[in-house]
């Protein structure tokens, strides 16, 4: 039986004591699951990912990761925090928010060095991940002068170098050209096939179809309205309309009625 990666119990979150942004969350994510968080912009997907990444903390209820309660006080323990971040890799929607070193090589080495990994091991890991993602020719370049696809690869490499068991991604294909988006999808499929846990927040239904076995769907008023098989959610046009992920336009052409489905980007 798979162990629990995350467990939400009556969990809620609010910004600065305002009305809850998310509330009454009760669900588990198991080791090795591939899960998509679906919802329109502003539904709370990114906030939920930040809770999983211990960048925000529940204001009510409980969140456990790997069987341990996740609180702000707990994450102030350096040893506990290092153990947590070795297991969870987070890739933000905006790569520029994640990249801050002057060279790609330094960007990749930064995380392992903060984890007190020996310099010789860090060098070995950097070379391995540069080769794995085809970034050898960029190692001396500034991350800020790369293309969108190259930046996304560097951001991904900066978390993969710690060999996480869980990968959390926020709108990973946003701003990518079709070739880069296909490369990223194929890479994530390989990661999934290794038995790792993948959690993706997206309103890209094609990406959700390609990668995810389970869907958590958030409404525009921040409620969890579906938790089940991804294909069931993706084939439920009424659900997708209700949460503003698709729209449909009906017209008559040559005496026949046609329905066009528009996916909100």
């Amino acid at each position: 039986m798979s162990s629990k990666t995350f467990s939400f119990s009556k969990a809620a979150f609010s910004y600065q004591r305002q009305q809850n942004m998310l509330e009454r969350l009760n669900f588990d994510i198991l080791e090795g699951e591939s899960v998509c968080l679906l919802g329109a912009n502003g539904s709370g997907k990114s906030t939920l990912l930040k809770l999983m990444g211990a960048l925000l903390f529940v204001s009510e209820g409980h969140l456990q990761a790997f069987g341990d309660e996740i609180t702000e006080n707990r994450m102030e323990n350096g040893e506990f925090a290092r153990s947590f971040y070795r297991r969870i890799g987070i890739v933000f929607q905006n790569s520029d928010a994640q990249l801050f070193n002057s060279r790609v090589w330094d960007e990749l080495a930064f995380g392992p060095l903060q984890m007190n990994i020996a310099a010789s091991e860090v060098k070995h890991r950097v070379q391995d991940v540069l080769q794995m993602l085809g970034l050898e020719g960029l190692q001396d370049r500034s991350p800020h002068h790369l293309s969108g696809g190259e930046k996304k690869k560097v951001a991904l490499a900066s978390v993969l170098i710690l060999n996480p068991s869980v990968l959390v991604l926020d709108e990973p294909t946003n701003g990518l050209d079709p070739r880069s988006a296909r490369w990223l999808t194929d890479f994530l499929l390989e990661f999934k096939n290794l038995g790792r846990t993948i959690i993706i927040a997206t309103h890209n239904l094609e990406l959700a179809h390609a990668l995810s076995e389970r869907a958590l769907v958030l409404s525009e008023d921040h409620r969890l309205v579906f938790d089940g098989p991804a294909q069931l959610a993706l084939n439920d046009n009424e659900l997708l309309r209700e949460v503003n992920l698709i729209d449909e336009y009906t017209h008559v052409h040559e005496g026949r009625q046609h329905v066009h489905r528009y996916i909100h980007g």
Side-chain angles (χ1 to χ4, degrees), residues 78 90 121 153 195 241 251:
I90 305 171
E121 172 64 14
K153 282 188 178 184
R241 281 196 303 271
H251 73 106

Side-chain angles (χ1 to χ4, degrees), residues 15-30:
Y15 286 101
Q16 298 179 344
R17 298 183 180 179
Q18 299 176 1
Q19 182 177 358
N20 283 342
M21 175 75 174
L22 296 166
E23 59 182 327
R24 303 295 295 182
L25 295 174
N26 291 286
F27 65 88
D28 300 328
I29 293 179
L30 302 182

Side-chain angles (χ1 to χ4, degrees), residues 22-27 37 48 215-219 221-227:
L22 296 166
E23 59 182 327
R24 303 295 295 182
L25 295 174
N26 291 286
F27 65 88
L37 308 181
L48 185 50
L216 302 172
V217 183
L218 293 169
S219 64
D221 59 355
H222 319 303
R223 292 180 298 112
L224 182 61
V225 296
F226 179 93
D227 178 2

